[in-house]
Amino acid sequence: MDDLQLRELLYQALETEVGGQLVYEAAIRCAVDDDLKEEWGKYLAETRNHEAILRETFERIQLDPSTETPGRAVVRFKGQALVQAMEMAMSEGGPAAAQLVAAESVVEAETKDHQNWELIGAAAGRLDGELAAALTDAYAKVEEEEDQHLYHTMGWARELWFQALGMPAVLPPPEEVKQVTSAIAAARAKGARDAMLDEELQVPPSALP
Ligand SMILES: [Fe+2]
Ligand SMILES: [Fe+2]
C-alpha cells in the first residue's frame, strides 16, 4: 500500500464531503419536485454526518484534517464549479432547466464521493491494525448511503430529462422506489422502467366503455 496516496485519498474524501454539502444546498434551491427536494435534504444531512465520521477517523488515525494537498484543491475547485453551474442555470435557464442541471451536478459530485468510499473500503481490506479497523468502521457507516446518493440521483437525472423531452417518465425513479443500493440493482431498476410505465399508463377497467 502506498501510504502517501492513501492519505491523499482520505484528504480528498474529506474535501468531497465538505464540498458536497455546498452542492446539495445549491441543488435544493434548484429543486422543483417536492419528493426530490426532500430526498436531497436527507442526503445533505447524511453528507454532514459523513464529514463528521471522517473527522473522527482522522483523529483516530492521527491525521491532520487541515493538511492541504494539490489534489484536495482540485476537488474543492470542482465542487465550487458545480455550484456556479447551478447558479448560472437558475438565473438564465428557468426552474425546470435548473433542476436538471442540479440533478446532473449531484451525480457528478456523488460519482467522486462513491468512488472515494469504494477505495477506502478496498484499502481497509488490505491493511491491518488500528488503521484497518478505523477505515472499516467508517466504511461500514457510510457505504449504503453512498450507493443511494449516486444511484437514486442518477435515476432522477434520467427521468427528469425524459420528462423535459415530453416523453413518459417514471417519477420518483425506479431506483428510488426499489431502494437500489448496488450497480447491478440500479441496472435492473432501470430495465424495469418500461414495465412501470406500462402499469402507470394502463387504462383502469372502469374507464372502458
Ligand atoms: Fe458522502
Ligand atoms: Fe454521498
Side-chain angles (χ1 to χ4, degrees), residues 99-134:
Q99 182 174 249
L100 273 181
V101 171
E104 290 184 348
S105 299
V106 170
V107 169
E108 283 178 38
E110 288 294 354
T111 299
K112 169 72 173 162
D113 199 15
H114 186 265
Q115 178 168 280
N116 289 341
W117 283 103
E118 212 168 48
L119 291 169
I120 290 169
R126 295 288 297 274
L127 296 161
D128 42 37
E130 177 61 9
L131 181 57

Side-chain angles (χ1 to χ4, degrees), residues 35-54:
D35 286 335
L36 182 58
K37 211 182 260 269
E38 193 188 323
E39 180 97 343
W40 281 345
K42 182 171 162 258
Y43 295 170
L44 169 60
E46 290 172 353
T47 303
R48 282 191 191 119
N49 189 40
H50 295 175
E51 182 194 343
I53 290 168
L54 270 177

